[in-house]
Amino acid sequence: MPGLLRGVARTAVVSGTATAVSNRVSRRQAGRWAQQDYGQTAAAPQQVYSTPAPAPAVSMDTKISQLKELAQLKEQGVLSEAEFAAQKRRILEL
C-alpha cells in the first residue's frame, strides 16, 4: 500500500503543478489581451482633416496694382532688391 500512496501523491503533485501553471498562463494571456484591448480603445480617435478651401483667385488687375505699389516702395528705398523680389514672387504665385 505505501507504493500506491506514493504513486497517488506523485500524481496529485504533478496534477496540482500542471493546474497552477495552466492557470498562471491563462491569467497572463488574459492580461495581455486586456492591455491590447485597452490600448486600442484608449487611443485617441483618429481625426479626419479636410483639405483647406482654395484661396480665392486674385484678379490680374489686383496683381498689377500690387506690383505697382511694390515698385513704388522699392523706388522710395523702403524695400531692398531682395525684399522686392520675394514680394513680387509671392504676388505672382497667388
Side-chain angles (χ1 to χ4, degrees), residues 29-90:
Q29 189 64 38
R32 286 182 183 167
W33 287 340
Q35 285 178 347
Q36 287 177 352
D37 288 343
Y38 178 74
Q40 290 174 356
T41 58
Q46 293 181 355
Q47 295 184 1
V48 177
Y49 296 102
S50 63
T51 57
V58 179
S59 71
M60 187 55 73
D61 293 335
T62 305
K63 287 183 180 183
I64 291 172
S65 67
Q66 288 176 342
L67 288 172
K68 285 180 181 178
E69 291 174 17
L70 200 62
Q72 288 175 353
L73 290 173
K74 182 184 169 217
E75 288 174 6
Q76 294 171 1
V78 176
L79 293 176
S80 69
E81 185 65 37
E83 291 171 329
F84 174 76
Q87 290 301 320
K88 180 177 150 186
R89 189 176 324 111
R90 184 187 60 82

Side-chain angles (χ1 to χ4, degrees), residues 17-38:
T17 304
T19 301
V21 169
S22 174
N23 288 341
R24 183 170 181 233
V25 169
S26 294
R27 282 192 304 269
R28 187 184 320 157
Q29 189 64 38
R32 286 182 183 167
W33 287 340
Q35 285 178 347
Q36 287 177 352
D37 288 343
Y38 178 74

Side-chain angles (χ1 to χ4, degrees), residues 1-15:
M1 193 80 162
L4 181 61
L5 285 176
R6 195 175 311 167
V8 170
R10 183 181 302 142
T11 302
V13 168
V14 169
S15 175

